[in-house]
Amino acid sequence: MTSLRPSDLAREHGLSAQAVRNYERDGFLPPAGRTDSGYRLYTEVHAAALRAFLALVPAYGHAAAGRVMRALHGGALDDALPLIDRGHSGLLRDRETLEAVRDALGRLTAERARQTEPTEAMGPGPGTAGATGPGRAGTTGARGPGPGPTEPSGATGAGSHRAWTVGELARHLDVTPATLRKWEEAGVLAPARDPATGYRVFRADDVRDAELAHLLRRGGHPLDHIAAVVRRIRTAGGADALAASLGDWQRRLTARGVAMLHAATHVSRYLTLLDLPTRPSTVSAPSSADPQHA
């Protein structure tokens, strides 16, 4: 087998020879052989190990990649595979969260449009200017009072600067205060507390989060998904900012999925060199119809 120096392995990846030695020290590469004078000697097995480790990093992260390689070098394939499985599970959860965010933003946009339709429909028309004149005294009343604590538009329109009590917000959403407290426990809501009374106070962002949670609950989303969506919105700085970032979020998930496929090919090649199983067994369970088991 061809002997390789640390610089030979490093050159392929644009690394320093010291980085290769560090990877060996940390267990990401198997131990190197030594010359009579004490210099390291690597082989194609070490080169394959380095390719596998460097491919695992963008797919699963540096720490997980290191744990996978150390498990493989210890002959513990069944310890390495769950680490890879967890990475795939995490990516799937991220994809589900992205879909939940898209659904939430779609519902929120539709809800906003629905709320603004009555106002737009009552644009300038005959007699509008005389709404308070004789014979039109009831016109203003027909539209109801302006935005207030018990109306959906109170969360985003005029007056959204005011703090809402848990009872006001519960009436606004037509849920119970206990439901809001459950959402708070799940991390969906994070209201402040009135320093004088200790009661919960919900400000504009809290009301937005509660309205979004209400929409998603009606859509059948579990609370843990909703909490993840709300965290994304808070981090992005609002629903509009989050909507603008969805494309970039999708591209990152796609890149990670492709990185996992790339890593799988290198890990599979490395397992072959280590003489560890790389293919599923083709031996099937005996059939009851098999003559030998009749």
Side-chain angles (χ1 to χ4, degrees):
M1 189 174 288
T2 304
S3 295
L4 301 169
R5 297 169 300 173
S7 59
D8 297 324
L9 269 65
R11 190 178 304 113
E12 178 181 345
H13 306 283
L15 301 172
S16 67
Q18 185 58 49
V20 173
R21 290 190 284 269
N22 291 343
Y23 288 156
E24 180 195 347
R25 177 201 64 199
D26 294 337
F28 305 156
L29 306 181
R34 296 278 180 167
T35 65
D36 292 339
S37 54
Y39 290 106
R40 287 177 173 82
L41 283 179
Y42 294 119
T43 67
E44 286 300 327
V45 173
H46 297 89
L50 183 57
R51 294 185 194 108
F53 170 70
L54 293 177
L56 285 166
V57 170
Y60 303 96
H62 190 278
R67 289 196 294 271
V68 168
M69 297 305 292
R70 285 192 290 267
L72 294 180
H73 297 148
L77 179 60
D78 287 332
D79 290 340
L81 292 177
L83 297 170
I84 294 174
D85 293 342
R86 279 196 285 273
H88 286 276
S89 295
L91 179 59
L92 179 58
R93 284 194 303 272
D94 288 346
R95 291 189 186 281
E96 290 172 344
T97 299
L98 174 59
E99 289 307 310
V101 168
R102 283 190 174 130
D103 181 59
L105 293 176
R107 290 171 181 269
L108 188 60
T109 300
E111 186 72 7
R112 285 174 176 173
R114 185 190 67 77
Q115 290 176 13
T116 58
E117 280 175 1
T119 302
E120 292 173 354
M122 292 193 65
T128 302
T132 57
R136 298 297 302 274
T139 303
T140 302
R143 292 182 60 184
T150 59
E151 294 187 321
S153 56
T156 55
S160 60
H161 61 280
R162 68 181 294 278
W164 295 34
T165 67
V166 66
E168 288 173 336
L169 183 55
R171 287 193 296 275
H172 166 55
L173 297 176
D174 195 23
V175 299
T176 65
T179 295
L180 296 180
R181 286 190 285 270
K182 182 177 180 181
W183 293 356
E184 181 182 354
E185 291 171 1
V188 174
L189 301 178
R193 296 277 181 165
D194 186 307
T197 65
Y199 293 155
R200 295 171 176 84
V201 289
F202 298 85
R203 306 198 182 275
D205 288 350
D206 301 311
V207 176
R208 175 205 65 201
D209 296 344
E211 289 180 329
L212 190 55
H214 194 222
L215 287 170
L216 290 175
R217 287 299 279 171
R218 292 208 306 265
H221 290 277
L223 285 177
D224 58 339
H225 278 190
I226 296 172
V229 171
V230 169
R231 283 195 297 270
R232 285 281 181 173
I233 290 178
R234 289 174 187 155
T235 302
D240 293 338
L242 180 59
S245 72
L246 290 186
D248 185 56
W249 186 1
Q250 177 70 73
R251 284 188 289 274
R252 290 197 302 272
L253 294 182
T254 299
R256 188 175 168 204
V258 171
M260 287 180 174
L261 294 175
H262 181 63
T265 62
H266 284 288
V267 172
S268 179
R269 290 172 188 160
Y270 185 49
L271 291 179
T272 300
L273 292 174
L274 292 180
D275 199 26
L276 291 173
T278 58
R279 295 183 181 181
S281 173
T282 57
V283 178
S284 58
S287 168
S288 58
D290 191 326
Q292 296 181 7
H293 298 277

